[in-house]
Amino acid sequence: MSYTADYLIEKRREKWTEHRSIEFDKQYRSAVVAEMMNDASLLAEVKENPEKLIELCFVVVDKNQKTMPFFFNDVQRDFIENRLNQAIEDYKNGLIADISLLVLKGRQQGFTTLVTAYQLACSMLNRNFQGYTLADKSDNAEAIFQNKAKFTYSQLPDMLKPTEKYNNRKQLLFEKINSSWAVDTATK
């Protein structure tokens, strides 16, 4: 039987609602990754839609300092569906030369977490991807990297993680696929 990413995401939601156990969720995520590695069409679907990897396998720390599955809120979902995916489609069709989105964001909507997770997913799924996030201050850059990227990455099933060349304070570089994600401080 072949599963779609949307089906597996919905099952993850159901299981989370039923159990509210990060340990149970960890087992589910491992099973999903095993399925993805054995099902070429599922893997292709996730590579084509990196946001699906986030809802399938990523975790996040909520405002109450609890680790939980990363399911998109309404603002995040709207941004992905109506801005990001449209920009990607325009890029693929040659309508724009690069993808740069300026987000004037309110606080506590989860954009930093979303963009970090999306770039991490892209760097793990695609050859030669280079993601980069700029923060206003050095402390913020380090917090983004440690709390939003490295923690999430450390919680992923090992069979999903690419071979690392660098995993330091500001960069993850995946050697065999030549992809990376880094964070730094904006300068004057």
Side-chain angles (χ1 to χ4, degrees), residues 74-94:
D74 292 339
V75 174
Q76 292 167 330
R77 183 165 311 287
D78 181 67
F79 174 76
I80 286 176
E81 291 174 358
N82 297 314
R83 295 283 316 275
L84 182 59
N85 285 343
Q86 183 61 53
I88 291 168
E89 193 64 32
D90 290 349
Y91 176 78
K92 286 179 180 177
N93 291 329

PDB file of all heavy atoms in Angstrom, residues 74-94:
ATOM      1  N   ASP A  74      -2.572  28.794  11.153  1.00  0.00           N
ATOM      2  CA  ASP A  74      -3.265  29.363   9.989  1.00  0.00           C
ATOM      3  C   ASP A  74      -2.403  30.373   9.234  1.00  0.00           C
ATOM      4  O   ASP A  74      -2.400  30.393   8.002  1.00  0.00           O
ATOM      5  CB  ASP A  74      -4.581  30.026  10.410  1.00  0.00           C
ATOM      6  CG  ASP A  74      -5.611  29.024  10.899  1.00  0.00           C
ATOM      7  OD1 ASP A  74      -5.502  27.824  10.565  1.00  0.00           O
ATOM      8  OD2 ASP A  74      -6.550  29.440  11.617  1.00  0.00           O
ATOM      9  N   VAL A  75      -1.668  31.209   9.956  1.00  0.00           N
ATOM     10  CA  VAL A  75      -0.832  32.228   9.324  1.00  0.00           C
ATOM     11  C   VAL A  75       0.301  31.564   8.548  1.00  0.00           C
ATOM     12  O   VAL A  75       0.606  31.949   7.409  1.00  0.00           O
ATOM     13  CB  VAL A  75      -0.283  33.215  10.385  1.00  0.00           C
ATOM     14  CG1 VAL A  75       0.707  34.184   9.789  1.00  0.00           C
ATOM     15  CG2 VAL A  75      -1.428  33.974  11.053  1.00  0.00           C
ATOM     16  N   GLN A  76       0.929  30.564   9.133  1.00  0.00           N
ATOM     17  CA  GLN A  76       2.011  29.839   8.457  1.00  0.00           C
ATOM     18  C   GLN A  76       1.497  29.129   7.204  1.00  0.00           C
ATOM     19  O   GLN A  76       2.121  29.189   6.149  1.00  0.00           O
ATOM     20  CB  GLN A  76       2.649  28.824   9.407  1.00  0.00           C
ATOM     21  CG  GLN A  76       3.405  29.452  10.556  1.00  0.00           C
ATOM     22  CD  GLN A  76       3.740  28.449  11.639  1.00  0.00           C
ATOM     23  OE1 GLN A  76       3.025  27.471  11.855  1.00  0.00           O
ATOM     24  NE2 GLN A  76       4.840  28.690  12.335  1.00  0.00           N
ATOM     25  N   ARG A  77       0.364  28.463   7.326  1.00  0.00           N
ATOM     26  CA  ARG A  77      -0.204  27.733   6.189  1.00  0.00           C
ATOM     27  C   ARG A  77      -0.554  28.698   5.054  1.00  0.00           C
ATOM     28  O   ARG A  77      -0.282  28.439   3.885  1.00  0.00           O
ATOM     29  CB  ARG A  77      -1.450  26.959   6.611  1.00  0.00           C
ATOM     30  CG  ARG A  77      -2.020  26.116   5.461  1.00  0.00           C
ATOM     31  CD  ARG A  77      -3.005  25.086   5.900  1.00  0.00           C
ATOM     32  NE  ARG A  77      -2.600  24.261   7.007  1.00  0.00           N
ATOM     33  CZ  ARG A  77      -1.674  23.290   6.957  1.00  0.00           C
ATOM     34  NH1 ARG A  77      -1.048  23.044   5.835  1.00  0.00           N
ATOM     35  NH2 ARG A  77      -1.384  22.585   8.022  1.00  0.00           N
ATOM     36  N   ASP A  78      -1.141  29.838   5.397  1.00  0.00           N
ATOM     37  CA  ASP A  78      -1.484  30.834   4.389  1.00  0.00           C
ATOM     38  C   ASP A  78      -0.223  31.334   3.671  1.00  0.00           C
ATOM     39  O   ASP A  78      -0.218  31.470   2.450  1.00  0.00           O
ATOM     40  CB  ASP A  78      -2.226  32.006   5.035  1.00  0.00           C
ATOM     41  CG  ASP A  78      -2.614  33.053   4.015  1.00  0.00           C
ATOM     42  OD1 ASP A  78      -3.471  32.759   3.156  1.00  0.00           O
ATOM     43  OD2 ASP A  78      -2.037  34.168   4.069  1.00  0.00           O
ATOM     44  N   PHE A  79       0.829  31.600   4.408  1.00  0.00           N
ATOM     45  CA  PHE A  79       2.084  32.061   3.806  1.00  0.00           C
ATOM     46  C   PHE A  79       2.633  31.012   2.836  1.00  0.00           C
ATOM     47  O   PHE A  79       3.029  31.342   1.710  1.00  0.00           O
ATOM     48  CB  PHE A  79       3.115  32.365   4.895  1.00  0.00           C
ATOM     49  CG  PHE A  79       4.469  32.695   4.344  1.00  0.00           C
ATOM     50  CD1 PHE A  79       4.719  33.933   3.779  1.00  0.00           C
ATOM     51  CD2 PHE A  79       5.490  31.764   4.380  1.00  0.00           C
ATOM     52  CE1 PHE A  79       5.970  34.239   3.260  1.00  0.00           C
ATOM     53  CE2 PHE A  79       6.742  32.060   3.863  1.00  0.00           C
ATOM     54  CZ  PHE A  79       6.984  33.299   3.308  1.00  0.00           C
ATOM     55  N   ILE A  80       2.653  29.762   3.245  1.00  0.00           N
ATOM     56  CA  ILE A  80       3.176  28.702   2.378  1.00  0.00           C
ATOM     57  C   ILE A  80       2.320  28.558   1.128  1.00  0.00           C
ATOM     58  O   ILE A  80       2.841  28.527   0.009  1.00  0.00           O
ATOM     59  CB  ILE A  80       3.276  27.365   3.135  1.00  0.00           C
ATOM     60  CG1 ILE A  80       4.459  27.417   4.090  1.00  0.00           C
ATOM     61  CG2 ILE A  80       3.435  26.192   2.169  1.00  0.00           C
ATOM     62  CD1 ILE A  80       4.609  26.219   4.966  1.00  0.00           C
ATOM     63  N   GLU A  81       1.030  28.458   1.304  1.00  0.00           N
ATOM     64  CA  GLU A  81       0.143  28.195   0.168  1.00  0.00           C
ATOM     65  C   GLU A  81       0.025  29.374  -0.784  1.00  0.00           C
ATOM     66  O   GLU A  81      -0.013  29.192  -1.998  1.00  0.00           O
ATOM     67  CB  GLU A  81      -1.243  27.783   0.679  1.00  0.00           C
ATOM     68  CG  GLU A  81      -1.241  26.421   1.341  1.00  0.00           C
ATOM     69  CD  GLU A  81      -2.566  26.044   1.983  1.00  0.00           C
ATOM     70  OE1 GLU A  81      -3.511  26.866   1.950  1.00  0.00           O
ATOM     71  OE2 GLU A  81      -2.644  24.935   2.535  1.00  0.00           O
ATOM     72  N   ASN A  82      -0.036  30.592  -0.250  1.00  0.00           N
ATOM     73  CA  ASN A  82      -0.345  31.750  -1.093  1.00  0.00           C
ATOM     74  C   ASN A  82       0.848  32.623  -1.453  1.00  0.00           C
ATOM     75  O   ASN A  82       0.744  33.417  -2.390  1.00  0.00           O
ATOM     76  CB  ASN A  82      -1.423  32.610  -0.424  1.00  0.00           C
ATOM     77  CG  ASN A  82      -2.719  31.840  -0.276  1.00  0.00           C
ATOM     78  OD1 ASN A  82      -3.168  31.189  -1.211  1.00  0.00           O
ATOM     79  ND2 ASN A  82      -3.296  31.873   0.908  1.00  0.00           N
ATOM     80  N   ARG A  83       1.943  32.510  -0.752  1.00  0.00           N
ATOM     81  CA  ARG A  83       3.113  33.334  -1.075  1.00  0.00           C
ATOM     82  C   ARG A  83       4.291  32.479  -1.515  1.00  0.00           C
ATOM     83  O   ARG A  83       4.799  32.637  -2.612  1.00  0.00           O
ATOM     84  CB  ARG A  83       3.526  34.173   0.151  1.00  0.00           C
ATOM     85  CG  ARG A  83       2.539  35.215   0.608  1.00  0.00           C
ATOM     86  CD  ARG A  83       2.499  36.475  -0.251  1.00  0.00           C
ATOM     87  NE  ARG A  83       3.763  37.014  -0.647  1.00  0.00           N
ATOM     88  CZ  ARG A  83       4.534  37.837   0.055  1.00  0.00           C
ATOM     89  NH1 ARG A  83       4.153  38.246   1.227  1.00  0.00           N
ATOM     90  NH2 ARG A  83       5.670  38.276  -0.407  1.00  0.00           N
ATOM     91  N   LEU A  84       4.720  31.569  -0.656  1.00  0.00           N
ATOM     92  CA  LEU A  84       5.932  30.800  -0.931  1.00  0.00           C
ATOM     93  C   LEU A  84       5.756  29.862  -2.121  1.00  0.00           C
ATOM     94  O   LEU A  84       6.553  29.894  -3.062  1.00  0.00           O
ATOM     95  CB  LEU A  84       6.352  30.010   0.311  1.00  0.00           C
ATOM     96  CG  LEU A  84       7.634  29.194   0.172  1.00  0.00           C
ATOM     97  CD1 LEU A  84       8.813  30.085  -0.185  1.00  0.00           C
ATOM     98  CD2 LEU A  84       7.912  28.432   1.458  1.00  0.00           C
ATOM     99  N   ASN A  85       4.722  29.048  -2.111  1.00  0.00           N
ATOM    100  CA  ASN A  85       4.532  28.110  -3.221  1.00  0.00           C
ATOM    101  C   ASN A  85       4.271  28.839  -4.536  1.00  0.00           C
ATOM    102  O   ASN A  85       4.692  28.373  -5.598  1.00  0.00           O
ATOM    103  CB  ASN A  85       3.431  27.099  -2.907  1.00  0.00           C
ATOM    104  CG  ASN A  85       3.892  26.051  -1.912  1.00  0.00           C
ATOM    105  OD1 ASN A  85       5.082  25.873  -1.685  1.00  0.00           O
ATOM    106  ND2 ASN A  85       2.944  25.363  -1.311  1.00  0.00           N
ATOM    107  N   GLN A  86       3.611  29.986  -4.490  1.00  0.00           N
ATOM    108  CA  GLN A  86       3.404  30.782  -5.708  1.00  0.00           C
ATOM    109  C   GLN A  86       4.733  31.320  -6.220  1.00  0.00           C
ATOM    110  O   GLN A  86       5.001  31.302  -7.427  1.00  0.00           O
ATOM    111  CB  GLN A  86       2.419  31.930  -5.458  1.00  0.00           C
ATOM    112  CG  GLN A  86       2.111  32.730  -6.703  1.00  0.00           C
ATOM    113  CD  GLN A  86       1.474  31.883  -7.801  1.00  0.00           C
ATOM    114  OE1 GLN A  86       0.476  31.219  -7.555  1.00  0.00           O
ATOM    115  NE2 GLN A  86       2.041  31.900  -9.000  1.00  0.00           N
ATOM    116  N   ALA A  87       5.586  31.795  -5.324  1.00  0.00           N
ATOM    117  CA  ALA A  87       6.902  32.297  -5.728  1.00  0.00           C
ATOM    118  C   ALA A  87       7.749  31.171  -6.330  1.00  0.00           C
ATOM    119  O   ALA A  87       8.444  31.383  -7.333  1.00  0.00           O
ATOM    120  CB  ALA A  87       7.615  32.922  -4.535  1.00  0.00           C
ATOM    121  N   ILE A  88       7.676  29.998  -5.755  1.00  0.00           N
ATOM    122  CA  ILE A  88       8.414  28.849  -6.291  1.00  0.00           C
ATOM    123  C   ILE A  88       7.912  28.509  -7.688  1.00  0.00           C
ATOM    124  O   ILE A  88       8.710  28.267  -8.609  1.00  0.00           O
ATOM    125  CB  ILE A  88       8.312  27.639  -5.342  1.00  0.00           C
ATOM    126  CG1 ILE A  88       9.092  27.923  -4.052  1.00  0.00           C
ATOM    127  CG2 ILE A  88       8.817  26.360  -6.011  1.00  0.00           C
ATOM    128  CD1 ILE A  88       8.831  26.933  -2.935  1.00  0.00           C
ATOM    129  N   GLU A  89       6.618  28.512  -7.874  1.00  0.00           N
ATOM    130  CA  GLU A  89       6.029  28.230  -9.192  1.00  0.00           C
ATOM    131  C   GLU A  89       6.451  29.290 -10.205  1.00  0.00           C
ATOM    132  O   GLU A  89       6.814  28.966 -11.346  1.00  0.00           O
ATOM    133  CB  GLU A  89       4.499  28.167  -9.071  1.00  0.00           C
ATOM    134  CG  GLU A  89       3.816  27.589 -10.261  1.00  0.00           C
ATOM    135  CD  GLU A  89       4.166  26.130 -10.523  1.00  0.00           C
ATOM    136  OE1 GLU A  89       4.422  25.376  -9.565  1.00  0.00           O
ATOM    137  OE2 GLU A  89       4.200  25.743 -11.703  1.00  0.00           O
ATOM    138  N   ASP A  90       6.427  30.554  -9.801  1.00  0.00           N
ATOM    139  CA  ASP A  90       6.854  31.636 -10.696  1.00  0.00           C
ATOM    140  C   ASP A  90       8.338  31.481 -11.071  1.00  0.00           C
ATOM    141  O   ASP A  90       8.717  31.706 -12.219  1.00  0.00           O
ATOM    142  CB  ASP A  90       6.632  33.007 -10.045  1.00  0.00           C
ATOM    143  CG  ASP A  90       5.154  33.368  -9.925  1.00  0.00           C
ATOM    144  OD1 ASP A  90       4.308  32.673 -10.526  1.00  0.00           O
ATOM    145  OD2 ASP A  90       4.861  34.348  -9.203  1.00  0.00           O
ATOM    146  N   TYR A  91       9.160  31.071 -10.116  1.00  0.00           N
ATOM    147  CA  TYR A  91      10.584  30.845 -10.374  1.00  0.00           C
ATOM    148  C   TYR A  91      10.777  29.701 -11.378  1.00  0.00           C
ATOM    149  O   TYR A  91      11.528  29.828 -12.345  1.00  0.00           O
ATOM    150  CB  TYR A  91      11.310  30.553  -9.061  1.00  0.00           C
ATOM    151  CG  TYR A  91      12.762  30.218  -9.241  1.00  0.00           C
ATOM    152  CD1 TYR A  91      13.698  31.218  -9.471  1.00  0.00           C
ATOM    153  CD2 TYR A  91      13.204  28.901  -9.179  1.00  0.00           C
ATOM    154  CE1 TYR A  91      15.041  30.914  -9.644  1.00  0.00           C
ATOM    155  CE2 TYR A  91      14.542  28.591  -9.347  1.00  0.00           C
ATOM    156  CZ  TYR A  91      15.453  29.602  -9.579  1.00  0.00           C
ATOM    157  OH  TYR A  91      16.780  29.291  -9.754  1.00  0.00           O
ATOM    158  N   LYS A  92      10.077  28.605 -11.155  1.00  0.00           N
ATOM    159  CA  LYS A  92      10.187  27.449 -12.052  1.00  0.00           C
ATOM    160  C   LYS A  92       9.731  27.796 -13.469  1.00  0.00           C
ATOM    161  O   LYS A  92      10.265  27.264 -14.436  1.00  0.00           O
ATOM    162  CB  LYS A  92       9.357  26.277 -11.520  1.00  0.00           C
ATOM    163  CG  LYS A  92       9.970  25.598 -10.323  1.00  0.00           C
ATOM    164  CD  LYS A  92       9.082  24.461  -9.836  1.00  0.00           C
ATOM    165  CE  LYS A  92       9.673  23.772  -8.629  1.00  0.00           C
ATOM    166  NZ  LYS A  92       8.780  22.709  -8.112  1.00  0.00           N
ATOM    167  N   ASN A  93       8.764  28.683 -13.582  1.00  0.00           N
ATOM    168  CA  ASN A  93       8.247  29.088 -14.895  1.00  0.00           C
ATOM    169  C   ASN A  93       9.028  30.239 -15.518  1.00  0.00           C
ATOM    170  O   ASN A  93       8.638  30.756 -16.565  1.00  0.00           O
ATOM    171  CB  ASN A  93       6.763  29.456 -14.786  1.00  0.00           C
ATOM    172  CG  ASN A  93       5.902  28.247 -14.511  1.00  0.00           C
ATOM    173  OD1 ASN A  93       6.215  27.132 -14.933  1.00  0.00           O
ATOM    174  ND2 ASN A  93       4.809  28.453 -13.784  1.00  0.00           N
ATOM    175  N   GLY A  94      10.112  30.669 -14.864  1.00  0.00           N
ATOM    176  CA  GLY A  94      10.950  31.724 -15.416  1.00  0.00           C
ATOM    177  C   GLY A  94      10.381  33.121 -15.287  1.00  0.00           C
ATOM    178  O   GLY A  94      10.867  34.049 -15.930  1.00  0.00           O
TER     179      GLY A  94
END
